[in-house]
Each structure stands twice: as C-alpha cells, then as structure tokens.
Amino acid sequence: MTTMTIAKAINEGLRATLSHNPKSLLMGEDIGPLGGVYRVTDGLIGEFGPDRVVDTPLAESGIIGTAIGLALRGYLPVAEIQFDGFVFPGFNQITTQLAKMHSRSNGNLTVPVVIRIPYGGGIGSIEHHSESPEALFAHTPGLRIITPSNPHDAYWMIQQAVNCQDPVIVFEPKRRYWLKGEVDTESAGSAEDPFKANVVREGTDATVVVYGPLVPVALAAANAAAEDGRSIEVIDLRSISPIDFDAIEASVKKTGRLVVAHEAPTFGGIGGEIAARISERAFLSLEAPVIRVGGFHMPYPVAKIEEDYLPDIDRILEALDRTFAY
Amino acid sequence: MGATHLPSTEFDGTELDDQLEAQAEAALGVPPTEMVQLLGPDGTLGTHSVFSEYVERLDAEKLRGFYADMAAIRRFDQEATALQRQGQLALWVPLTGQEAAQIGSGRASQPQDYIFPTYREHGVALTRNVDLAELLKQFRGVSNGGWNPKDTNFHLYTLVLAAQTPHAVGYAMGIQRDQRLAEAQGVEGSAEPKAAVMVYFGDGASSEGDVHESMVFASSYNAPVVFFCQNNHWAISVPTAVQTRIPLSNRAKGYGFPGIRVDGNDVIAVHAVTEWALEHARQGNGPVLIEAFTYRVGAHTTADDPTKYRESSEEALWREKDPLDRLEKYLRAEGMADEAFFAKVAAEGDELAAYIRKSTYASDAPDIRTAFANTYVEAHPLVAEELAWFEEYSAGFAGGDEGEGAGR
Ligand SMILES: Cc1ncc(C[n+]2csc(CCOP(=O)(O)OP(=O)(O)O)c2C)c(N)n1
C-alpha cells in the first residue's frame, strides 16, 4: 500500500502498462517532455522514449484516427485528449470509426484503443475546460466508458482499459487529480472488474448513485444526512457504459429510494437512463420516483458562477428530502 | 539541451525549399505540376527520364494482365449496375473510367502492403484478390463489410469521407514500430519484407480535415504511406474547382513530401509512379502523394443523375481517353495480343458476371444475433440483456407460425 494522488496513480498505471506490454504506447498533445498539461504522463518519455510516448501534432481527429490505424496493426494506443471540450474534433473518428470497426468487420477486426479525457468542472477554468460529455459517448454502441474516483481505482482501471479488447474511454475527474488515497499496487482487490460498481457506503434508507468527481460530494451528503438519522447508501458507478444495473437494483430493493447525481446536464443524461431502467426493474420496490440531480440545460457557465451550476452537498440533500417526502 | 541547440527560427526556409524542389525533380524529372504520361490516348508509348525504367520491368504478359484486369472490373461494374437496377442491390458506386488508376496502382502494391480504400475501389480490390462477390454484400445490405481484411490486406470500404486516411497513417506508424522492434530484438534483415500503406480518397474528400491531419502526421513521423487521390473531377455534382484552386498534387509540397500528378487513364504510367512511390515509402523515405488525373464517366452512384450538372460533351471528351482502348491499341500495335486474347477476356468477363449474379442472389441476410455478437469483443451485460429479451420475444412467435402461414 502506498499513498498517492489520482494523477500519480494514473501515471503509475501507465508506467506499469508500458513496462509490461511492448506494444502499448501513449499519444497526445504535450504528453512528452511536459508530461501533459496535468502532468499525468510525467517522466514517461524519459523512461520509454518518443516511440512509446508520442507528442502528436495538434489534431484530435488525427490522434484518434492514427490510434485506430496503430490498433489495426496490433498496437495498444492510449490517446490523451487534453481537455473534455476538445474531444469534438475527434468525435467523428470515435463514433463513426472506432466504435463500429469490430461490428462492421463482422468480428474480424479489433481496435483496442484507450482514450483518456480529463473532464468535469470545479477548477475555475475558462470555456471548454469543464465539460462532462460522457452521455454523448455512452449513447454510442461499441464504446466502453469508465471513470475512476479514487487513486486505487485509477491505478487499476487504466491498466484494465488497456487490456480490454474493446475501445475504452476513460473520463478522468480533473478536479480530483490531486485527491490522495491508498493504492494497492499488488492486487486490484474489489476493483478487479472495471465495469462493476462499488458500494462505497452502506445504508438502508435511500441510495445515491454517483461517479467520478461527485463521489466525495455524495459521501459528504450521506454523512450530513446521517446526522438527521437517515442511512444513505452511496454507489460509485465506476462504469458509465456498460452500467452495473444489477448493483443499483440490489441496492434499491434494499433502500426503496434512489437519487442519481452527475455534473452533466440532467436532460438526456446518464441519470435519466438509470431512472428509466430502475423503474422497469424495481418498480414495486420503489417508494418514490427516482430523482435526478445534475447540471442545468445550459453551456457550462463561466467559472465565477460554476458553484451555482455544479451539484453540491445541498442539492443532493434536497433531492433526498424530495424522495423522503413520498 | 544547450543554448546552441536553440533554433533562431523553426525552419531554414530556403534550404527546405531547395530540398523539396530537388526531391520532386529527382522523382519526376519535371516540375510537379506537369502530368506524368507514358501511354497516350493514341496508344503510343512515350518515354520519361525517371519512370521509363519502371516500364522496362513490364513484359507482355504483365501488360496483357493489366488489360484483362481492367476489362474484368469494367464488366463487373456493368453487372453490379444491372443488379442494382433489378433491385438486388440498394445502391451501386460505378468505377467506369477509373480502371487504369485502380489496376495500375493496385498491381504496384505487394502482398505485405496494406491498402485502405474508400468505397469505389473495386479495381484495387480485384488486384488484392478480394472475392468480388463479397464486395457486393455491403451494397446488398447483408453486411457492413463482407470480407476479412486480414486475408488480403485490403481494408473495408469506408463511407465517411476521408476517415480512413488517418487510419492509414497510424497503420504505417505501426509498420515503423514493428521494424524498430525487430531491429531491437536483433532480427534485422529477417525474412519480413518491408511494407508500406496505400490509402485512396477522392478530390472531394481532399477537402476534409482528416486528409490534412493525416498528411501532417505522415510527414512529421516520415510514415511509409502513399496517399492516392483519384481526381475524377466530380464530388457528386460539385466540380474539383470548388475543392481546390491548384493541382492537388501540389499540396504535398506544403507538407514536405513529394507529390506527383499522373495521367490516371494511363495504366502504365500509374503503375510506374505507384511502384516508385511505394518503394520510396518502403525504403524509409516517407510519404508520397499521387494524384491520378482521371474521370468518372458514369454517374456518381446509381442514385445520381449527372445530366443535371454536367455537359455530355465533357463525358464524350473523356471517353476518347479511355484507359482500355488505349492499352488495346498498344497491345495490338506491338503484336502483344491477338484477337483470340481479346475474345478470351470477353468470355472470362461473361463468366465473372454470371458468377456475380449467382452469388448475389444467394447472398442472404445475416441473423441479427451476429450483430449482437459483434458489437463488443468482450462480454457486455447490456447486450446480453437485450439479446435475452430478443430471444424470449422471438420464441413467443414460435408456436404461432402455423396460424400466420395459413393467413398468407
Ligand atoms: C463525411 C461525408 N460527407 C458527405 C458524404 C456524402 N458523399 C458521399 S460521396 C460524396 C462525394 C465524394 O467525392 P470524391 O471524394 O471526389 O470521391 P468520388 O465519389 O468522386 O470518387 C459525398 C459528398 C460522405 N459520404 N461523407
């Protein structure tokens, strides 16, 4: 067990991947000597050289597109998109090419590309640096999407993503890059399957489902609710595609109430999908409608008012109040 | 990095310019805007300071093979068009007029090279030994691919314009890494022949950002890739002039690699130029852009009506430059092929057409379970759940078959 930040844990995970697999390589803008704008790839070019840690031209479609070509040739590329809002020039390659190559080749071709995207707000940044576009990708069949919320998961999930034969997008909660925690580098433990959710806090009265940056927020809300005598179960989803509905269903069957929270706009978001599925699967166990907490239907606002936009402890507590009102 | 390494400017402009100029001159013997042509429309073979050497590699048998290939693919094209008219295919993308560009370039590739086509490269597919019946599956709506690219190193067709160009460059970067890995493991000079990648796209697609990004990547990493642009003069109804104001081959210079414009209806010149380019790439000298100056004689697809946007006189003008006619003239004049050869080619064409017709009728819809199976490589709970639902739902109809049948 060692203590490290999420950023360092991903760095160590990438280092392990590069050491174990000679066909793996990293590519992206400024990931070489600079180590990426968040320093997640710090020091790796010195260890593995410019053929394995590739500073690419400034071209997102080119990055994803050439990663696909490398994968077709048997390589395991891990592409970094510098910020959430800049994935869109690569959107075409991700949705029309990467996601579909395996199926349109009738199973003959695999493209095990990993795309790392720092995402989410709360860092006081400017336009296009705080978005949560995960639902846009989750809607596309053929992609897998995961998002770690703590250093241990971050260390293991990045390696599991590389080992997965399907394309995987790893959304990294950028405002938690500096969150410290224990990492067991010997064993993944309960984080063995990156597509399974974790119950990070047990409870009996209501379930809160969150992922990535909101996990600490939900835990704090659950602690606050405990002071009012409410026992809240918190589930860290970890995987956004596929979603571990079994874990949510099991929890709801125990608690009878469900709140889903994410930073992305509520409308058309992952929360709606969870609400619909759980209503189908556990309708008779629900004591109240599933309540969603999310961002508003507006472009991510300017930093000076982002606190008004982002779901916080109070917004989750308010949602819990609403579910208990039934 | 010491202060001595700090550049005062990014490029030494004149030096780079001179270097490129010299490269282009060496390749072409002429300024890059001029078109390389060897076999004229009248069927006479000219000479070229650089490329005549490549023509010497061609014997009569190879030239007859070029003709047979071009004739076969034209016959195939006619048959597919007919099948579309009969409702057997949803759409067809004809290649008539572009046979020389495709056969000439495809025949210049070697088995270890990997080819990324767009959606009209039926002639290239033929040269890569793709079963042409499989090519029709996409247009019949029974597959989004149809063949296994690993069998022939001929990738699937790509319908999103230019999306395949960065894939080609990435693949070429993979080839570079394979070579370096092999060298590091001390197996330099192993049996593995050097490989290159060739990627096809049209004059319309050349405007897409992906082509630009690909050329930047290819140039920055000196990737072994040949960009093969078939300038067939029309992107559906839009003429090349809307895509570019300079010969497309000239763009290569802006990226720092050679660009060659070749007469795309001259199979001998296309073959020579492509052989040169692929060798250039395989030897580690980096990318090349070839612009094959040709013409799409028919419609863009069977859904298109060219009379709405172009004069038939333009078509007529290009028919005079027909790639098959000019090679036939040459073969006959040189005594390389007789009447019996051309009769045999025609008979083989009819056989191919009959095979295509028969296999198209026989090519049935797949089971949707294959689509469930191929969405992901690894097990996926959502797919499993939806498949289970589908099975149960379908099973509900099993008992009702009789009644349903009786109603028909
Ligand atoms: C990204 C994209 N935009 C639009 C289309 C629709 N489309 C199909 S073919 C075509 C024209 C292509 O022209 P060109 O690249 O010159 O190739 P050609 O068909 O003439 O060989 C267009 C606009 C497409 N397939 N992909």
Side-chain angles (χ1 to χ4, degrees):
Chain A
M1 288 279 187
T2 32
T3 301
M4 59 180 94
T5 63
I6 287 187
K8 181 65 180 162
I10 300 171
N11 178 276
E12 288 297 335
L14 291 171
R15 178 173 283 107
T17 288
L18 289 166
S19 315
H20 297 152
N21 201 324
K23 290 273 179 128
S24 62
L25 74 160
L26 316 183
M27 43 202 300
E29 296 156 10
D30 306 296
I31 68 163
L34 180 68
V37 290
Y38 287 104
R39 309 292 183 265
V40 170
T41 54
D42 208 16
L44 296 176
I45 193 168
E47 247 169 277
F48 298 97
D51 250 16
R52 308 284 309 283
V53 182
V54 185
D55 259 338
T56 62
L58 216 166
E60 287 74 15
S61 190
I63 294 170
I64 308 296
T66 50
I68 292 171
L70 278 155
L72 288 169
R73 182 74 190 180
Y75 285 81
L76 299 171
V78 182
E80 175 177 302
I81 297 294
Q82 204 157 63
F83 289 97
D84 36 58
F86 305 128
V87 68
F88 298 107
F91 192 76
N92 170 40
Q93 283 290 338
I94 297 172
T95 54
T96 74
Q97 305 298 307
L98 183 62
K100 294 180 174 153
M101 196 67 82
H102 183 66
S103 78
R104 67 192 298 274
S105 71
N106 300 315
N108 287 314
L109 303 175
T110 52
V111 277
V113 172
V114 173
I115 303 170
R116 297 180 35 243
I117 310 178
Y119 82 122
I123 60 162
S125 198
I126 56 169
E127 209 184 4
H128 308 300
H129 291 70
S130 303
E131 297 175 11
S132 300
E134 62 271 16
L136 291 168
F137 296 96
H139 193 60
T140 304
L143 302 173
R144 289 172 185 268
I145 297 162
I146 55 179
T147 174
S149 70
N150 61 70
H152 182 77
D153 279 358
Y155 176 78
W156 286 105
M157 283 164 83
I158 187 66
Q159 296 181 67
Q160 290 156 334
V162 176
N163 288 333
C164 180
Q165 285 300 297
D166 291 307
V168 181
I169 303 180
V170 186
F171 277 102
E172 299 174 358
K174 69 167 90 78
R175 71 166 138 145
R176 307 289 176 212
Y177 270 143
W178 302 279
L179 181 92
K180 279 191 180 175
E182 292 215 317
V183 176
D184 181 351
T185 53
E186 299 299 313
S187 159
S190 64
E192 195 107 38
D193 184 345
F195 304 108
K196 287 256 184 291
N198 273 350
V199 177
V200 289
R201 185 187 202 280
E202 305 236 6
T204 50
D205 299 339
T207 304
V208 177
V209 169
V210 279
Y211 52 83
L214 285 192
V215 173
V217 178
L219 285 171
N223 285 339
E227 285 168 23
D228 294 338
R230 284 172 176 163
S231 165
I232 308 298
E233 182 143 303
V234 178
I235 295 182
D236 175 0
L237 212 49
R238 297 171 83 248
S239 174
I240 292 167
S241 178
I243 288 174
D244 187 353
F245 290 110
D246 292 345
I248 306 170
E249 182 184 343
S251 177
V252 166
K253 284 191 168 155
K254 183 170 67 170
T255 63
R257 292 183 162 81
L258 178 61
V259 168
V260 188
H262 49 62
E263 289 189 14
T266 309
F267 181 83
I270 298 298
E273 182 59 39
I274 293 175
R277 292 247 166 199
I278 294 304
S279 301
E280 270 188 67
R281 282 185 171 212
F283 187 64
L284 296 177
S285 306
L286 283 168
E287 307 282 343
V290 180
I291 309 246
R292 291 169 295 162
V293 179
F296 303 117
H297 197 63
M298 58 175 66
Y300 194 87
V302 294
K304 295 291 182 209
I305 56 170
E306 70 178 334
E307 295 307 326
D308 294 335
Y309 172 91
L310 287 170
D312 59 3
I313 298 170
D314 289 337
R315 292 244 296 265
I316 292 175
L317 287 173
E318 187 273 343
L320 283 169
D321 282 346
R322 270 198 278 155
T323 167
F324 283 114
Y326 281 87
Chain B
M1 212 193 266
T4 50
H5 287 102
L6 290 175
S8 56
T9 167
E10 278 173 275
F11 303 107
D12 183 336
T14 51
E15 198 179 288
L16 189 76
D17 230 41
D18 291 350
Q19 210 180 308
L20 281 172
E21 216 58 79
Q23 242 184 340
E25 288 280 337
L28 302 172
V30 292
T33 38
E34 258 167 58
M35 190 164 77
V36 179
Q37 185 188 73
L38 291 164
L39 187 64
D42 60 354
T44 54
L45 190 67
T47 56
H48 188 280
S49 57
V50 175
F51 296 114
S52 283
E53 185 196 321
Y54 289 81
V55 180
E56 281 160 28
R57 302 177 184 182
L58 300 170
D59 54 19
E61 200 189 324
K62 279 211 176 117
L63 290 171
R64 280 195 298 269
F66 287 173
Y67 183 86
D69 283 351
M70 292 197 293
I73 209 65
R74 182 171 287 186
R75 186 70 182 82
F76 168 77
D77 196 34
Q78 290 165 350
E79 191 56 35
T81 304
L83 284 166
Q84 196 282 331
R85 296 283 177 247
Q86 293 161 22
Q88 295 292 331
L89 305 177
L91 183 80
W92 181 240
V93 187
L95 69 5
T96 297
Q98 298 179 223
E99 295 88 348
Q102 298 195 12
I103 299 299
S105 59
R107 283 285 172 224
S109 69
Q110 293 180 5
Q112 75 274 16
D113 297 330
Y114 197 92
I115 311 289
F116 285 87
T118 174
Y119 47 71
R120 201 190 292 278
E121 272 66 80
H122 324 313
V124 187
L126 175 100
T127 69
R128 301 298 297 188
N129 300 320
V130 173
D131 181 347
L132 295 178
E134 300 201 321
L135 248 162
L136 294 184
K137 288 185 173 172
Q138 183 160 27
F139 300 95
R140 188 169 168 77
V142 300
S143 174
N144 284 326
W147 61 96
N148 184 350
K150 288 176 178 163
D151 293 341
T152 52
N153 276 5
F154 183 77
H155 198 71
L156 302 177
Y157 278 0
T158 304
L159 293 181
V160 180
L161 289 167
Q164 77 281 13
T165 58
H167 305 172
V169 177
Y171 198 97
M173 289 164 68
I175 290 175
Q176 288 177 311
R177 280 165 178 71
D178 282 351
Q179 279 167 6
R180 290 203 276 264
L181 277 175
E183 280 161 27
Q185 287 158 5
V187 287
E188 199 185 353
S190 74
E192 282 289 307
K194 285 195 168 142
V197 178
M198 184 151 54
V199 57
Y200 290 81
F201 58 99
D203 48 306
S206 75
S207 297
E208 289 278 356
D210 270 356
V211 169
H212 166 67
E213 296 191 19
S214 303
M215 290 189 180
V216 172
F217 271 74
S219 178
S220 299
Y221 302 118
N222 214 39
V225 59
V226 173
F227 294 97
F228 196 97
C229 176
Q230 286 171 87
N231 176 358
N232 66 6
H233 284 77
W234 292 93
I236 309 189
S237 66
V238 179
T240 311
V242 176
Q243 318 289 346
T244 181
R245 291 183 60 182
I246 58 161
L248 284 165
S249 54
N250 274 18
R251 289 193 184 168
K253 190 177 169 186
Y255 295 100
F257 53 82
I260 305 173
R261 176 176 260 205
V262 64
D263 181 343
N265 287 17
D266 170 357
V267 71
I268 296 177
V270 172
H271 188 264
V273 163
T274 314
E275 265 206 328
W276 177 87
L278 283 167
E279 277 171 19
H280 178 93
R282 283 190 215 104
Q283 294 315 315
N285 299 317
V288 177
L289 167 63
I290 296 171
E291 175 194 1
F293 198 73
T294 182
Y295 194 76
R296 180 248 291 163
V297 176
H300 170 73
T301 66
T302 45
D304 169 45
D305 176 9
T307 64
K308 288 201 160 171
Y309 54 84
R310 72 186 188 193
E311 300 291 332
S312 60
S313 58
E314 183 182 295
E315 260 171 63
L317 212 67
W318 278 91
R319 281 192 194 275
E320 286 166 20
K321 303 179 187 183
D322 188 83
L324 274 77
D325 288 351
R326 73 169 86 166
L327 185 59
E328 179 176 345
K329 280 181 202 157
Y330 178 69
L331 289 174
R332 284 185 192 275
E334 296 293 313
M336 289 180 183
D338 54 15
E339 209 53 60
F341 167 76
F342 291 104
K344 185 166 153 272
V345 167
E348 281 168 357
D350 290 340
E351 261 173 55
L352 172 66
Y355 163 69
I356 290 300
R357 206 161 40 243
K358 196 168 148 233
S359 42
T360 300
Y361 293 149
S363 129
D364 277 338
D367 189 318
I368 195 167
R369 287 170 187 83
T370 61
F372 278 109
N374 291 329
T375 301
Y376 291 91
V377 185
E378 300 183 10
H380 192 285
L382 181 59
V383 174
E385 183 185 318
E386 292 184 355
L387 175 61
W389 177 89
F390 175 77
E391 294 292 11
E392 206 181 314
Y393 175 76
S394 315
F397 293 102
D401 261 7
E402 245 172 59
E404 210 181 294
R408 278 196 204 127

